[in-house]
Each structure stands twice: as structure tokens, then as C-alpha cells.
Amino acid sequence: MARDFEAVGVVGLGTMGAGIAEVFARNGLRVVGVELDESGLVRARAHLEKSTSRAQARGKLSEEDAQALLGRIQLTSQLTDLADVDLVIEAVPERLELKTAIFAQVDKIVRPEVVLASNTSSLSVTELSVRTGRPSRVVGMHFFNPAPVQQLVELVRTVVTEQDVVDDVAAFARKLGKVPVVIGDRAGFIANALLFGYLNHAAKMFEERYASREDIDAAMRFGCGYPMGPLALLDLIGLDTAYEILMTMYNQSRNMMHVPTPVFKQMMTAGLLGRKSGRGFYTYDGPDSSKIVDDAHTPKPAGASEEQVRKVSTVGVVGTGTMATGIVEVLAKSGLDVVLRGRSAGKNDAALNALKRSLDKAVVRGRLTEEDRDAAFGRVHATTNFEEMAECDLVIEAVAEELDVKRAVFGTLDEVCKPGAILASTTSSLPVIECAAATSRPGDVIGLHFFNPAPVMKLVEVVSTISTAPDVAATARALCGTLNKHAVSCGDRAGFIVNALLFPYLNDAVKMLEAHYASADDIDAAMKTGCALPMGPFELLDVVGLDVSLAIEKTLYQEFRLAGYAPAPLLEHLVTAGRLGRKTGQGFRDYSSR
Ligand SMILES: NC(=O)c1ccc[n+]([C@@H]2O[C@H](COP(=O)([O-])OP(=O)(O)OC[C@H]3O[C@@H](n4cnc5c(N)ncnc54)[C@H](O)[C@@H]3O)[C@@H](O)[C@H]2O)c1
């Protein structure tokens, strides 16, 4: 007969435990919450009260229900108070000796049939289970942060877990309104194994001063639609917890991408643990607060920079493809005069037609008036002659992603453009300095990496080479402001911010699939419901195109030579077989019958 879980014990009521206790109590269960000592209990109570009053303020909980909820949670510092519960979940810090010691004690207190669950993010559940007298009734029940919000629960079974225990706990998770995914016992399970390499990489970028914390976070929010940037997420997770998870993953994987970047240890030693201590990568207005306050690293507001900017009123665009046409639309809609240079009259006509269609669509959708559409279209002048770019204040190159082609364009622009004109490349993977070196004015050359579709995507990566003049970078950022885009600044290396953070993670997902740890559907579901990402990795790879993804991964690997960046063989095989994703009807999934 299926188990009924009516009373539940939670050991450790920190970031996760308090949230988990709240989930249980919201569902009408009686909860016994155990903390280490009186100060832990005070913190736990404050955490629970804050969370329920936030739910009340948002109209999600009535005053009466909030009181009833809190009334269902008994707080204690005695493990013996767990004697009559039906399931115990531990959420103490991520240290094996601590967790095994707790399980060994709880094992002696609760009834033999009671299930013991660990909220561990990375430690071996098998290892925990064998320290009890009931290994077959021990599972991992990995909730995500914040537990009351995130739906995913990774249900970890070991080689000895009884099937009925797995079934009962899965049914229980569903009853709590969660989405359980049953998986085997491997460090990091699905979501963290994929997430933490990415988070570690972002912390490393910050540590190397490749980009500011604000720009790293904004890049992933505006470039990929992530709900939070990686550094803000690390602050939410807690840097000490993140460190332990990475270490456990590294000990199992020996993958250099899991070695915690040194900044973690430094911040932990200084007591900068993230939101829970009031300061991590960002500064908060108090412990356990989500409100970021200004500190010494907060950037000055736009326009407050001392750097002079150059005047930009006429912009040239070289190319007639998807990106070029999209960028022309963005420029013209923002009131700039545009000179579009294509290789033939036919290509120019096609680009102008595409522009017209897109502007018409904006009118139909009520986003643009007919008058503004006509004015925008009237600002665009198409030509096949580079000389007509002579008076442009800035020229954006958006031709094929081939170095020789781009270098030739920059050589020509250098000859025809007036002194002081800024020359920009939209390259997503080639070194911008190669374009700069093809000119006699490398200080005036910069990367402006727009995202596709340019009229929709908010992000632009502003890429300075070692030669780019500071006023050129300042002008590029100011231009992005005029275009209503969000600019982030970074240096000239493979992948810039977004692709460098995104593609190693996508590659890890392919390797996880290749290793038969989980299915593409489970991995996609885990990343969407556990981390609130807009698309799972396989969905995204199929949209981007597997050939494009493979090319980016190869570029990253060639630049950084990290073994973990080497493209997964499965991705190469799919490309060789012509399964390139949605565009060919087949990739990781089959779209032909849909
Ligand atoms: N932070 C996250 O985003 C996240 C997400 C999922 C899972 N986890 C996992 O959840 C677990 C807890 O992590 P956290 O981030 O909540 O840590 P935390 O530091 O915020 O909380 C741990 C709590 O355990 C208490 N504690 C320590 N020793 C205890 C003992 N002997 N008895 C009772 N309570 C004790 C501490 O006082 C503290 O309140 C870890 O295994 C972690 O890997 C964390």
C-alpha cells in the first residue's frame, strides 16, 4: 500500500530548508523543523515569516492562511522531536560528514518504514544511504531555489532504492504541485551538473575582469532570456554552497570546468556568502534581502562618463543578409540616416523589400504608425558603391562570417571613409582585431555584436580590442542607448560573453545525453522547470542549428583549449548526417511530422 506522508521533518532551515518547510506547510502537512541551536531557530522563524508576509503582500496568501501555515510548523533544536514523522528531509550544509552524521542519528529516532531524503545538490545519495540501517528507503529529493517557486524536484534513486519508495515519493512530490524527474545518483544530477560549470565560468569572467558583474548578468538576461544573470544567481544560491557543490562535482568528474574559481574561496573567507549574508557579488540592503544597493563597483549612470563621444547621425551598413537588414531597421526606426551597401542592385532590392515587409508588420501589430514607417523607410539609401559611405559617421559591417571577406571590407572602408569615422564589425566569432589590423586606424575599429532578430533582441555586445580608443567604445555604448538596446562591454576573445557562457553548457548537455544519464526530454524539462530557462538545451540547439553550434564550439575550443570545450562527438555525428535542427526538419528531435 502506498505510503501517506502527513507529518514531515526538515533538518536544517537555511536557504533551502526553510523554503521546503514552507512548501510542506502550504500543502497542509504538519512539519517538524530542526535547527542546530537557538540562533538558527530565530533565523528560521524570521525567514518563514518574511516569506509568508511577502506572499500576503502579493495577495497570494490570506492573513488567516499565513497564520495557519506558520502554526503547522513546529520549530525545535532536538532531533528526537522527529520521532513520529513519516518522512525526513535534510537540508544542512553540503558536507558529507555532516549529512551522514545526521542521517545516522535520525535513523535511530524514526520508525523503520520512514523514508529519509536528502536535499543534497551534489553528494552521493548512495554514500548517505549506506550510513543508515535502511539504505533501500533513502532517496535524494532535490528541490530548487526558491523552493516555494521552482517546480522541479530531482528524485534521486540509488542502486538499492526500493521501487515503491521511488513511486511513493514521486507521487508525494506531485501532490505538492512539483514536477519530479527520477534520475540516478551522479554528482550534480541533471540541473546542477549543467548549471554549475556555467556559473563557475561566469565567476571566472568576473574575476578576470573580462566584463563587469552587471554586464555579465545583463548579457545572459537580454541575450538568452534567462530570468537572472549568473552572478545574481550565485548570490541567491550562496557562495559557500556553490563552492561545495563545485568541489564535489570536480572530485567525481575531474573536469577542470568544475574547479571552483579562486574568487569563491576569497569571498567565503571574507564572509561574502551572497544574499544570506547581505553581500556577495552584489551588495544587498541587509541579510536575506533581495534588494541590491549601490556600492563602490556600481557603474555610473549612462551619460555620466567623462569620455567624450563622437557625433553619429549617418550610419553605413555593409551587407544585405538577415543581420544587416535587421540592423538597418533598428537604425532607421531610431531616426538615423542609413546608407546600405550591397553587392548588387538585386541584393539591395531584396533587402529593401525585407525591410519594408518588417516595417509593415510593425504597423499591423500597432507598434509603428504609418507615418513613422514611411519616415524610417525614407531614411534608408541603398547603393552598391562603397564611395557613398564616405560621409558616414559610423559603418557597421555585417557580411559573411569569413575572415578574408571581412578583412577586404575593412580595407576598403579604410580607404573611403572620412577620418574619425568608426568602423564596426558584427562578427560573432572572429577576432575583431583582425578587422582592425586590415585598416590604418585600428583605434577606430570596434565590435558591435547584435543578436538575431536584431529588431527584437535587446542585447548588443560592445567589443573593444586592445587597440580600440576609449571614446570609440563610449560612442558605441551611447549609440546603443539611442537604439534602445542594452549594451554590455567586453574584450575581444572567442564567444564574447554570451556564446562563451552558453555553448559549453549546451555541449555538456549533449555529453550528458550521450552518456545515457537522462533523456533529451528530461534534460530540457529539468532546465526549464528547475532553472526557469526559456528553452531547454536541446530545444535551443535545434533552433540555433547544429552546424552553427558546432562551429561556435570549435572556435571556443581552439581559443581556450579546455578539454571540456571539445565538441561532443554526438553533435559532430548529427551534423555529418545532415541533421542540423529545425531548418532541416531533424536534429535532436524530429520535426518532419509536426
Ligand atoms: N542554495 C541552493 O540554491 C540549493 C538548492 C538546492 C539544494 N541545495 C542543498 O541544500 C542543502 C542546504 O543548503 P542551503 O543553501 O540551504 O544552506 P544554508 O547554509 O543556507 O542552510 C543550512 C542550514 O542548516 C543548519 N544546520 C547546520 N548544521 C545543522 C545541524 N547539525 N542540525 C540542524 N541544522 C543544521 C544551519 O544552521 C543552516 O541554517 C545543501 O545540501 C545544498 O547543497 C541548495
Side-chain angles (χ1 to χ4, degrees):
M1 212 179 68
R3 290 171 179 78
D4 238 352
F5 301 110
E6 283 171 1
V8 188
V10 182
V11 185
L13 299 164
T15 310
M16 288 309 293
I20 294 169
E22 187 182 330
V23 171
F24 291 144
R26 268 194 197 202
N27 281 275
L29 304 174
R30 186 164 68 77
V31 183
V32 181
V34 189
E35 255 296 336
L36 192 56
D37 49 26
E38 192 48 42
S39 70
L41 290 172
V42 170
R43 243 182 309 129
R45 198 169 292 121
H47 193 123
L48 285 161
E49 281 168 3
K50 204 168 182 176
S51 177
T52 45
S53 59
R54 216 181 296 139
Q56 260 176 275
R58 290 188 187 146
K60 292 192 178 148
L61 202 65
S62 69
E63 153 99 58
E64 202 184 350
D65 287 347
Q67 286 312 320
L69 186 161
L70 293 172
R72 279 193 284 274
I73 305 177
Q74 174 198 346
L75 294 176
T76 169
S77 57
Q78 302 300 320
L79 283 173
T80 44
D81 286 337
L82 295 170
D84 66 345
V85 300
D86 308 312
L87 177 142
V88 176
I89 178 165
E90 70 70 27
V92 299
E94 190 76 347
R95 292 198 305 274
L96 188 65
E97 10 22 294
L98 178 60
K99 289 187 190 277
T100 48
I102 293 209
F103 265 15
Q105 288 177 67
V106 172
D107 188 37
K108 296 200 185 86
I109 295 167
V110 297
R111 300 187 306 277
E113 71 276 15
V114 167
V115 174
L116 302 185
S118 170
N119 185 50
T120 180
S121 310
S122 59
L123 296 170
S124 162
V125 178
T126 315
E127 188 92 39
L128 294 173
S129 75
V130 296
R131 308 292 179 90
T132 72
R134 63 184 86 204
S136 62
R137 285 184 291 289
V138 175
V139 291
M141 207 177 174
H142 184 226
F143 284 84
F144 286 73
N145 191 1
V149 178
Q150 303 290 7
Q151 282 193 308
L152 184 71
V153 172
E154 287 174 325
L155 178 46
V156 185
R157 63 178 314 160
T158 72
V159 285
V160 293
T161 317
E162 282 164 20
Q163 186 58 44
D164 64 304
V165 170
V166 175
D167 295 343
D168 291 350
V169 176
F172 177 53
R174 276 190 284 269
K175 222 168 104 185
L176 298 172
K178 301 293 175 193
V179 179
V181 176
V182 179
I183 41 171
D185 188 17
R186 192 172 111 160
F189 314 127
I190 298 179
N192 283 350
L194 297 180
L195 187 68
F196 273 76
Y198 149 74
L199 296 177
N200 195 29
H201 190 181
K204 187 157 184 267
M205 267 188 184
F206 166 82
E207 185 171 20
E208 291 168 342
R209 297 172 195 235
Y210 176 62
S212 70
R213 62 184 184 190
E214 283 82 4
D215 282 358
I216 292 171
D217 280 351
M220 297 313 285
R221 288 197 295 124
F222 296 115
C224 301
Y226 283 14
M228 272 183 126
L231 301 176
L233 179 55
L234 277 167
D235 275 355
L236 173 67
I237 291 169
L239 300 196
D240 50 344
T241 302
Y243 177 87
E244 296 297 339
I245 293 172
L246 280 165
M247 270 320 288
T248 318
M249 282 176 32
Y250 171 69
N251 285 332
Q252 193 171 96
S253 69
R254 298 289 156 188
N255 180 344
M256 294 306 288
M257 286 157 70
H258 298 152
V259 179
T261 198
V263 77
F264 280 106
K265 215 29 185 299
Q266 294 160 29
M267 292 174 74
M268 281 159 64
T269 309
L272 311 183
L273 304 183
R275 282 194 197 179
K276 61 182 161 190
S277 69
R279 202 173 143 197
F281 288 102
Y282 295 92
T283 304
Y284 299 84
D285 75 349
D288 270 330
S289 165
S290 58
K291 187 164 180 278
I292 293 176
V293 295
D294 285 357
D295 60 18
H297 306 290
T298 305
K300 292 193 192 116
S305 146
E306 274 112 59
E307 206 54 64
Q308 288 290 323
V309 298
R310 302 184 189 176
K311 181 180 134 298
V312 177
S313 54
T314 304
V315 180
V317 175
V318 186
T320 48
T322 314
M323 285 316 286
T325 317
I327 293 167
V328 167
E329 178 176 337
V330 172
L331 293 163
K333 280 202 290 207
S334 305
L336 294 154
D337 291 324
V338 184
V339 181
L340 167 68
R341 188 269 169 191
R343 276 178 295 169
S344 68
K347 285 187 186 294
N348 284 353
D349 287 346
L352 289 176
N353 281 335
L355 172 64
K356 185 144 194 321
R357 274 198 305 277
S358 182
L359 290 172
D360 283 341
K361 219 185 276 169
V363 171
V364 171
R365 292 195 179 141
R367 299 211 179 114
L368 201 67
T369 64
E370 289 188 10
E371 204 181 356
D372 287 344
R373 172 196 62 190
D374 297 343
F377 198 70
R379 279 184 210 110
V380 181
H381 167 67
T383 175
T384 55
N385 190 353
F386 269 113
E387 258 106 60
E388 291 193 44
M389 297 192 140
E391 291 309 310
C392 288
D393 304 306
L394 182 145
V395 179
I396 302 172
E397 162 282 308
V399 301
E401 190 74 350
E402 282 171 44
L403 192 54
D404 290 345
V405 178
K406 290 197 188 280
R407 280 179 60 92
V409 168
F410 274 83
T412 309
L413 290 173
D414 189 32
E415 283 167 21
V416 303
C417 291
K418 65 182 181 187
I422 295 173
L423 308 181
S425 172
T426 54
T427 183
S428 42
S429 59
L430 300 169
V432 180
I433 191 70
E434 288 276 4
C435 300
T439 73
S440 62
R441 49 174 115 185
D444 293 339
V445 177
I446 196 160
L448 277 181
H449 185 219
F450 285 80
F451 286 70
N452 190 15
V456 178
M457 300 295 288
K458 256 325 251 163
L459 187 71
V460 179
E461 288 174 319
V462 176
V463 185
S464 289
T465 73
I466 46 161
S467 304
T468 307
D471 70 321
V472 169
T475 307
R477 277 192 86 117
L479 174 73
C480 292
T482 310
L483 303 180
N484 197 22
K485 297 289 177 200
H486 192 105
V488 295
S489 302
C490 60
D492 183 23
R493 61 186 212 192
F496 309 136
I497 303 175
V498 173
N499 286 350
L501 289 178
L502 181 66
F503 280 89
Y505 141 71
L506 295 176
N507 197 33
D508 281 349
V510 180
K511 288 183 190 164
M512 184 179 273
L513 179 69
E514 210 168 39
H516 299 288
Y517 178 61
S519 68
D521 286 351
D522 279 351
I523 296 173
D524 276 354
M527 298 318 285
K528 286 201 287 186
T529 52
C531 308
L533 304 189
M535 277 192 206
F538 298 103
E539 250 177 289
L540 183 59
L541 282 162
D542 277 354
V543 168
V544 172
L546 304 197
D547 50 342
V548 174
S549 303
L550 180 62
I552 296 173
E553 288 181 7
K554 281 185 173 162
T555 311
L556 285 169
Y557 178 65
Q558 274 153 12
E559 177 115 322
F560 298 103
R561 299 286 166 175
L562 267 172
Y565 286 8
L570 177 59
L571 183 65
E572 304 219 29
H573 293 176
L574 288 165
V575 173
T576 308
R579 296 190 187 181
L580 307 183
R582 281 184 179 265
K583 59 186 170 189
T584 60
Q586 245 183 332
F588 284 99
R589 295 199 173 87
D590 191 343
Y591 303 91
S592 48
S593 56
R594 295 184 189 189

